[in-house]
Structures are given as structure tokens and as C-alpha cells.
Amino acid sequence: MTEFAGSLNQRIELWAHSQERLPSGTASQEREFLLSCRAAIVLEGFGTESEAMSLSAMPRYRLAVRKLPDFSVGHQVRWRGRNLLIRQVVDDPVQPDRLILRCEEQR
């Protein structure tokens, strides 16, 4: 992912948990649409293969996006019918124009 502008060839959507509560007081499972943007996506591997103490054996992806304040751990990225959960946001001062998101596919 060294050439940044030309590598943003995938369209993604960012979704966050709704702040609404159900009448019982529990959080709703609804998600709110936050934004749509372009990203570069690379498969990192599966589960324990790519990282010790993996939460599951689902595929992991690394996404490079333009730097925006909306990306946060726990938000959901939707890409090509897949739901990816953001596990880590890397803001590298060496590359100030981008964020690296480490995501895990959700079942």
C-alpha cells in the first residue's frame, strides 16, 4: 500500500451502533449509517494464523482509508456484502494522510 491515491479502489460504508434504547432499557441492535468512502483492502489471514489470541477464525482484513475522525474501534464496515468489525485503528505519524484499520469479518 505504498501508492495511496491509486489504491483506493473499493467502496466501503461505515456503520455505528445506534444510541437508541428499547423499552426494556437494553441497547438496540440497530446500526446508523455514518459515511461512505473509498478504501484499499488487503486480506491479512485467518484467526490465530495472523495474530495470537484471536477472537475467532474469521478472515482478517487491513484497510487503508483517508484520514477522517469518524473511524473508531467497534464500528462496522460493510464491503461487498461482508460485515467487518473494526478491531484496531492505526494513526501513523509517518503517513499523516491515512488511517489503517484492522478488521475482522463478522458471522
Side-chain angles (χ1 to χ4, degrees), residues 34-53:
L34 295 179
L35 62 91
S36 178
C37 68
R38 315 262 321 153
I41 302 176
V42 176
L43 179 67
E44 281 196 323
F46 294 86
T48 56
E49 219 176 84
S50 63
E51 184 177 308
M53 303 299 291

Side-chain angles (χ1 to χ4, degrees), residues 12 14 35 37 65-66 68-72 75 86 89 99 101:
I12 63 169
L14 183 66
L35 62 91
C37 68
V65 296
R66 292 198 188 279
L68 295 169
D70 299 319
F71 292 99
S72 180
H75 285 174
I86 298 176
V89 179
L99 290 174
L101 310 175

Side-chain angles (χ1 to χ4, degrees), residues 13-44:
E13 295 179 348
L14 183 66
W15 293 74
H17 277 291
S18 173
Q19 297 299 319
E20 294 180 17
R21 294 281 179 177
L22 299 175
S24 63
T26 59
S28 73
Q29 295 299 316
E30 300 280 324
R31 294 205 178 249
E32 296 175 347
F33 175 77
L34 295 179
L35 62 91
S36 178
C37 68
R38 315 262 321 153
I41 302 176
V42 176
L43 179 67
E44 281 196 323

Side-chain angles (χ1 to χ4, degrees), residues 13-17 29-31 43 45-47 55-61 63 72-87 102-107:
E13 295 179 348
L14 183 66
W15 293 74
H17 277 291
Q29 295 299 316
E30 300 280 324
R31 294 205 178 249
L43 179 67
F46 294 86
L55 297 177
S56 74
M58 296 300 288
R60 291 178 174 261
Y61 295 90
L63 286 69
S72 180
V73 172
H75 285 174
Q76 185 182 66
V77 173
R78 293 185 185 171
W79 167 65
R80 288 188 175 181
R82 298 174 189 244
N83 293 326
L84 310 175
L85 185 64
I86 298 176
R87 295 287 186 195
R102 293 224 159 109
C103 301
E104 186 174 83
E105 188 170 352
Q106 292 182 306
R107 294 184 172 101

